[in-house]
């Protein structure tokens, strides 16, 4: 979900929300600017509720109101569908319409908020007479956000989605989702606008850091578990952005052009896996068009695929300001979100008039409402009182540290320059130069609606390490700073190595960085790449001349280690010159400690890449990002995807390309062997193959490895696809067996004529590997033909 483009403060037509008495209309665009300026100013606390009042109001609002006469829908023995049917039948048309659209609860084209509401992503009033709670919505997948610092409360920030994906751990994904859900409910929210499962098919996408990589199985599995963790806290989770939202620049103008079969076999399959595993209460459609129609007004996506083929029972909400017309109601959209950003509140008076005039059936409106109510019943929002106790920030910080540690990927370790300490605890290098990346202030996080501001004190007050204005022309950069979570790597390194042996250079000047490197035994360069919703990056270089700094430092000190805090893959023209490379992503609330624990060997690195690192842009399916250099962001254009279903590592395999680092790659301070591959046809429904293998720790340190099984050929010819994986924790010399059940859709082609998945009869060869290009033992299995529903 985005926030409105406040920075431009362009004059606009104000909108009155006459159905909400506490909401007033703004007179002019100038008044909007004045309100925003006041709200964002440090002296604005008189207009913004203090934490204690805000918490009380939020908690009270999250408790479903007691109906005047309890109805049969409160019988928990009934199914969510039956309860929703009974309750919906009691609503008037006006009450139904009122549940189908809502404001972005931020100072944009509104002044003031309804009673009991705080600044947040969204608000939709309930129906108190029937006990229907208001929907209080908050961003996002990586933690509870505090949009534009309009509230004084902070939250715990998970590492980036790519870091979570790099753990290859469904258990950690679940724990992260549960943590965010717990904080959201304790802050009084009942709808969480996460998590994201878009495939990272375009590595320059500014929002990749929110997502879970390029493979449908990995992304869908982890997203499903994160959603399940969130909804186990009795809050609605939202899977987004449906669908093929592969770029941020001109996201409101781009038309994603891709045939149905490859779309089903890639991006849609990731959503399908996530929905099946997590059962999210809501799906958020995206800004872009898909093969012509807007995603939120797309009969194929919403009616035919989501609600038809997949029988999805929850509701579809628009992204904020992504409702293009009233026609969206008949094309599958159930709720208009962030209504003041749209050209019109289509799902208010226009929808009511269309129902009364017979253009839209009343039954369709009832269906829209029932879907919302069903999700509230299914997740327990109706029946379970939200917790009111304090947030356990220490326990939550521990979760983020563990996720960061297990998601950090060791990419290079020449001469075992890492870890910096021996197993006995002695530091290898006497003097350590830490250079660049604001390592003295904190660790970088991604911008936009997923931006989490740290706060773990009694009032959750902000305590971020730095707010740095980067600038630019994207949709949100005018009002967003690069935020550094306050866990500084420099302090964590000093705590382990001794403050007297560590010195810092900020990296702004090459000459100073070189002198620091020459005086040190070990040089650690922190390199950052800030990404933000609404804006992509033009290429894969590190911004602001950091590549030159790294090259110069490496020339001055052969023991140079680069720690990357990036939102996605970057090129590394200096790779051959440095001794070590650590991909830390955006490592979250305890990221500094996590990085230091990896560098010094207190934690053995075990992350594996969930996304391919290209050598440069020439290896990409589209070397130039479509529409990036178009100055008119409203001009409609097409983005074609020549890779089709061959996203990421499948593209490299199909084209015979060798990337910088392949999907699934990751080093350790110990060594592992994988073997004993066994594969056989599946014996139960929904299982095409049953595969097992063993992983053995052959080194001297305890560590974790990720065994990966890939399809390498089938009756249709050569093809590469991840079929399963297993993460194991092993002591030195220990061996464990991993078993994988292969979903038949991973072996199938989608037949558009038959409208079904088809597994061809014949021989299928699978291989065991440590990454998508390092494949070892192989087994061939003969399968019978199989047809599966879409």
């Amino acid at each position: 979900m985005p926030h409105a483009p406040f920075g431009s403060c362009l004059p606009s037509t104000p909108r009155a929300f006459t159905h909400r008495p506490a909401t007033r209309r703004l007179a002019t665009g100038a008044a909007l600017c004045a309100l925003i300026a006041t709200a964002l100013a440090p002296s604005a606390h008189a207009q913004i509720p203090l934490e204690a009042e805000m918490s009380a109001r939020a908690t009270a609002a999250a408790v479903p109101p007691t109906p005047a006469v309890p109805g049969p829908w409160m019988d928990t023995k009934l199914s969510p569908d039956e309860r929703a049917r009974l309750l919906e039948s009691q609503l008037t048309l006006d009450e139904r319409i009122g549940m189908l659209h809502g404001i972005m609860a931020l100072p944009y084209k509104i002044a003031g908020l309804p009673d009991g509401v705080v600044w947040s992503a969204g608000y939709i009033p309930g129906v108190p007479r029937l006990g229907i709670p208001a929907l209080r919505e908050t961003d996002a997948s990586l933690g509870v956000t505090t949009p534009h610092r309009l509230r004084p409360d902070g939250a715990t920030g998970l590492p980036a989605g790519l870091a979570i994906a790099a753990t290859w751990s469904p258990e950690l994904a679940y724990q992260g989702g549960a943590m965010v859900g717990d904080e959201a409910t304790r802050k009084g929210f009942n709808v969480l606008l996460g998590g994201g499962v878009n495939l990272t098919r375009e590595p320059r996408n500014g929002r990749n850091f929110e997502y879970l990589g390029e493979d449908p199985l990995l992304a869908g599995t982890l997203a499903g578990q994160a959603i399940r963790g969130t909804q186990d806290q009795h809050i609605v989770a939202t899977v987004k952005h449906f669908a093929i939202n592969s770029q941020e620049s001109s996201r409101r103008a781009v038309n994603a052009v891709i045939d149905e079969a490859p779309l089903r076999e890639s991006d849609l399959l990731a959503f399908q896996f996530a929905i099946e595993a997590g059962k999210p209460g809501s799906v958020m459609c995206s800004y872009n068009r898909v093969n012509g129609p807007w995603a939120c007004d797309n009969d194929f996506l919403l009616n035919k695929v989501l609600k038809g083929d997949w029988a999805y029972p929850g509701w579809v909400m628009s992204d904020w300001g992504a409702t293009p017309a009233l026609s969206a109601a008949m094309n599958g959209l159930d709720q208009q979100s962030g209504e003041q950003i749209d050209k019109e509140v289509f799902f208010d008076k226009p929808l009511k008039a269309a129902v009364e005039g017979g253009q839209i059936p009343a039954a369709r409106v009832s269906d829209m409402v029932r879907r919302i109510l069903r999700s509230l019943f299914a997740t327990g929002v109706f029946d379970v009182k939200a917790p009111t106790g304090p947030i356990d920030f220490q326990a939550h910080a521990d979760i983020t540290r563990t996720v960061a540690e297990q998601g950090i990927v060791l990419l290079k370790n020449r001469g075992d320059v890492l870890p910096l300490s021996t197993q006995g605890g002695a530091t290898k290098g006497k003097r350590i130069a830490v250079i660049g990346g604001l390592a003295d202030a904190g660790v970088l996080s991604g911008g936009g609606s997923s931006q989490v501001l740290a706060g773990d004190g009694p009032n959750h007050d902000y305590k971020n390490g730095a707010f740095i204005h980067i600038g630019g022309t994207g949709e949100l950069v005018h009002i967003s700073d690069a935020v550094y979570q306050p866990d500084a790597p420099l302090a964590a390194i000093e705590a382990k190595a001794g403050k007297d042996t560590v010195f810092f250079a900020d990296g702004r000047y090459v000459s100073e960085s070189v002198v620091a490197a020459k005086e040190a035994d070990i040089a650690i360069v922190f390199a950052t790449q800030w990404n933000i919703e609404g804006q992509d990056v033009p290429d894969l270089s590190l911004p602001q001349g950091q590549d030159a700094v790294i090259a110069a430092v490496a020339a001055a000190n052969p023991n140079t280690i680069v720690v990357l805090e990036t939102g996605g893959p970057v090129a590394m023209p200096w790779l051959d010159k440095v001794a070590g490379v650590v991909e830390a992503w955006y490592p979250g609330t305890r990221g500094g400690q996590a990085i230091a624990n990896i560098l010094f060997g207190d934690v053995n690195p075990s992350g594996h890449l969930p996304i391919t690192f290209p050598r440069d842009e020439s290896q990409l399916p589209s070397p130039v990002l479509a529409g990036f250099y178009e100055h008119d962001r409203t001009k409609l254009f097409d983005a074609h995807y020549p890779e089709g279903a061959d996203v990421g590592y499948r593209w490299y395999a199909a084209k015979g390309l060798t990337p910088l680092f392949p999907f699934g790659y990751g080093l350790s301070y110990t060594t592992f062997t994988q073997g004993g591959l066994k594969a056989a046809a599946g014996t139960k429904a929904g299982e095409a193959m049953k595969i097992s293998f063993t992983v053995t720790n052959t080194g001297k340190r305890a560590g974790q490895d990720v065994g990966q099984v890939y399809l390498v050929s089938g009756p249709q010819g050569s093809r590469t696809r991840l079929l399963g994986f297993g993460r194991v924790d092993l002591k030195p010399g220990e061996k464990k067996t991993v078993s994988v059940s292969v979903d038949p859709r991973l072996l199938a082609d989608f037949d558009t004529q038959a409208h079904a998945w088809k597994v061809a009869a014949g021989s299928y060869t699978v291989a065991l590997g440590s990454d998508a290009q390092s494949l070892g033992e192989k087994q061939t299995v003969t399968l019978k033909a199989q047809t599966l529903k879409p």
Side-chain angles (χ1 to χ4, degrees):
M1 197 282 288
H3 299 323
F6 297 160
S8 58
C9 278
L10 296 175
S12 56
T13 303
R15 180 169 297 124
F17 301 100
T18 56
H19 62 292
R20 297 183 177 90
T23 307
R24 307 186 308 276
R25 66 183 295 173
L26 290 178
T28 64
L32 167 62
C33 291
L35 174 62
I36 294 167
T38 302
L40 295 178
S43 61
H45 287 181
Q47 297 187 14
I48 301 174
L50 297 179
E51 172 65 18
E53 178 190 355
M54 193 172 65
S55 178
R57 287 168 60 181
T59 300
V63 177
T66 302
V69 180
W73 54 85
M74 295 308 296
D75 183 355
T76 57
K77 296 179 182 178
L78 299 175
S79 70
D81 295 278
E82 179 63 13
R83 295 177 72 184
R85 186 192 67 79
L86 290 169
L87 179 50
E88 189 277 331
S89 68
Q90 302 301 307
L91 292 167
T92 67
L93 178 58
D94 284 338
E95 288 169 336
R96 291 184 178 98
I97 296 294
M99 293 179 61
L100 302 180
H101 62 102
I103 60 170
M104 177 176 65
L106 293 175
Y108 182 67
K109 296 186 180 179
I110 61 172
L113 292 172
D115 292 338
V117 180
V118 297
W119 300 122
S120 61
Y123 173 79
I124 295 169
V127 184
R129 76 176 183 89
L130 294 173
I132 300 175
L135 302 185
R136 304 190 70 260
E137 302 167 325
T138 183
D139 290 315
S141 308
L142 305 178
V144 182
T145 68
T146 47
H148 309 306
R149 304 197 285 277
L150 287 172
R151 300 194 316 264
D153 64 319
T156 307
L158 280 171
L162 285 175
I164 297 170
T167 70
W168 292 59
S169 171
E171 294 78 16
L172 284 179
Y174 177 91
Q175 291 178 32
M179 183 212 80
V180 178
D182 179 75
E183 291 198 7
T185 56
R186 290 180 189 275
K187 288 173 177 286
F189 297 102
N190 55 19
V191 178
L192 182 74
L193 303 175
V197 72
N198 294 92
L199 293 187
T200 55
R201 65 166 63 230
E202 172 47 68
R204 292 160 295 192
N205 183 357
R207 212 165 181 178
N208 279 343
F209 71 89
E210 294 185 44
Y211 300 143
L212 295 165
E214 66 192 24
D215 179 75
L217 177 63
L218 179 63
T221 299
L222 268 59
Q225 292 308 306
I227 290 165
R228 192 171 68 84
T230 295
Q231 293 195 158
D232 278 354
Q233 313 312 307
H234 308 296
I235 179 174
V236 173
T238 304
V239 67
K240 62 184 185 182
H241 304 88
F242 195 68
I244 199 161
N245 184 186
S246 297
Q247 66 182 79
E248 288 294 294
S249 297
S250 300
R251 61 183 179 177
R252 297 174 185 269
V254 62
N255 177 36
V257 180
I258 184 171
D259 290 341
E260 180 181 353
L263 179 57
R264 294 261 194 177
E265 295 168 10
S266 55
D267 297 70
L268 291 187
L269 187 57
F271 275 96
Q272 195 169 7
F273 284 149
I275 290 170
E276 290 171 352
K279 297 178 173 57
S282 180
V283 170
M284 183 189 294
C285 49
S286 54
Y287 287 113
N288 54 288
R289 293 175 294 144
V290 178
N291 293 322
W294 299 102
C296 290
D297 192 12
N298 197 303
D299 179 67
F300 169 76
L301 285 179
L302 305 184
N303 285 332
K304 291 183 171 60
V305 175
L306 181 65
K307 296 179 179 180
D309 295 339
W310 302 351
Y312 175 68
W315 91 89
V316 179
M317 66 168 70
S318 72
D319 206 333
W320 268 229
T323 304
L326 180 59
S327 58
M330 291 304 297
N331 286 327
L333 182 64
D334 299 307
Q335 191 175 68
Q336 181 178 6
S337 308
E339 61 186 29
Q340 69 264 45
I341 312 176
D342 286 315
K343 295 179 180 179
E344 189 175 351
V345 187
F346 299 106
F347 282 22
D348 187 11
K349 293 178 181 178
L351 178 58
K352 181 180 179 181
V355 172
E356 292 176 333
Q359 290 85 25
I360 292 180
R364 168 60 185 137
V365 171
S366 291
D367 173 64
M368 296 159 82
V369 173
R370 278 197 301 269
R371 289 175 174 276
I372 297 169
L373 294 174
R374 185 204 182 276
S375 292
L376 298 182
F377 284 124
T379 55
V381 171
F382 252 99
D383 306 312
V384 181
K385 184 177 179 180
T388 57
I391 294 170
D392 190 341
F393 282 107
Q394 183 57 53
H396 289 178
D398 289 343
I399 291 172
T400 70
R401 188 190 67 249
T402 299
V403 172
E405 289 169 349
Q406 296 194 20
I408 290 173
V409 184
L410 179 61
L411 295 175
K412 183 175 182 179
N413 193 20
R414 186 182 67 204
D416 292 333
V417 66
L418 292 173
L420 297 178
S421 293
T422 65
Q423 284 192 282
T427 303
K428 291 179 179 177
K430 294 181 179 180
R431 296 169 298 174
I432 300 175
V434 177
I435 300 169
L438 285 184
D440 58 328
V443 289
L444 188 58
S445 57
S449 60
S450 67
Q451 179 69 70
V452 178
L453 300 177
D456 57 7
N459 293 321
H460 314 176
D461 295 332
Y462 300 149
K463 48 181 251 181
N464 291 281
F467 296 92
I468 307 298
H469 184 64
I470 304 296
T473 59
E475 188 173 335
L476 299 179
V477 295
H478 296 88
I479 52 167
S480 296
D481 297 325
V483 176
Y484 284 74
Q485 302 289 352
D487 195 42
L490 177 62
I493 291 170
E494 289 175 340
K496 293 182 181 296
K499 194 169 184 179
D500 293 339
T501 65
V502 180
F503 48 97
F504 179 71
D506 61 30
R508 291 185 300 143
Y509 293 96
V510 173
S511 59
E512 182 186 24
S513 301
V514 167
V515 170
K518 287 181 177 179
E519 293 178 350
D521 299 297
I522 299 287
I524 306 175
V525 182
F526 282 80
T528 61
Q529 175 209 48
W530 183 57
N531 283 3
I532 181 174
E533 175 186 349
Q535 179 171 294
D536 300 316
V537 296
D539 56 47
L540 298 175
S541 67
L542 287 169
Q544 298 168 311
Q546 294 176 91
D547 285 321
V549 172
I550 294 171
V553 169
N557 189 324
N559 294 320
T560 293
I561 299 160
V562 179
V563 178
L564 296 167
E565 296 172 26
T566 67
V570 292
M572 303 181 197
W574 34 260
L575 181 61
D576 292 341
K577 307 298 182 183
V578 302
V581 180
V582 174
E583 176 56 81
W585 316 104
Y586 301 150
T589 290
R590 290 292 180 267
Q593 296 174 38
I595 291 170
N597 286 343
I598 293 291
L599 292 176
F600 285 85
D602 298 296
V603 175
N604 197 341
S606 58
H608 288 254
L609 291 179
I611 184 171
T612 304
F613 275 46
R615 291 188 178 277
D616 54 44
E617 295 79 14
S618 69
Q619 291 190 321
L620 301 179
S622 300
V624 177
L625 186 63
F628 185 86
Y629 293 103
E630 174 57 58
H631 297 295
D632 181 1
R633 295 299 187 188
T634 66
K635 183 179 179 180
L636 302 182
F637 65 95
D638 293 342
H640 295 269
Y641 297 99
E643 70 276 18
D646 290 335
V647 178
Y649 66 92
R650 300 185 69 191
W651 166 262
Y652 290 83
K655 297 297 181 181
L657 299 172
T658 301
L660 190 65
F661 293 106
F663 174 85
Y665 179 86
L667 300 177
S668 172
Y669 297 151
T670 189
T671 56
F672 300 95
T673 60
Q674 301 175 359
L677 178 66
K678 297 179 181 179
T683 58
K684 57 185 179 181
E687 180 185 73
M689 284 188 201
K690 188 72 174 180
I691 299 175
S692 65
F693 56 90
T694 59
V695 182
T696 305
N697 185 341
T698 56
K700 297 180 180 180
R701 287 177 178 260
Q704 296 174 315
D705 193 28
V706 177
Q708 305 159 40
V709 180
Y710 292 86
L711 173 71
V712 293
S713 67
Q716 306 90 337
S718 298
R719 56 171 58 187
T720 301
R721 167 150 265 180
L722 180 69
L723 298 181
F725 59 91
R727 183 183 178 99
V728 290
D729 193 340
L730 299 170
K731 298 174 183 177
E734 187 177 10
K735 176 190 295 186
K736 288 184 180 179
T737 298
V738 177
S739 295
V740 170
S741 180
V742 178
D743 190 298
R745 288 168 292 189
L746 296 173
L747 302 173
D749 292 317
F750 191 85
D751 187 329
T752 56
Q753 294 298 318
H755 194 64
W757 293 96
K758 288 195 172 182
V759 179
S763 297
Y764 291 80
T765 300
V766 300
L768 182 60
S770 56
D771 60 62
Q773 291 202 330
S774 302
L775 303 178
E777 290 186 18
K778 296 181 180 179
Q779 285 278 304
T780 298
V781 179
T782 300
L783 299 179
K784 296 179 181 179
Q786 187 178 5
T787 299
L788 305 153
K789 66 179 183 180

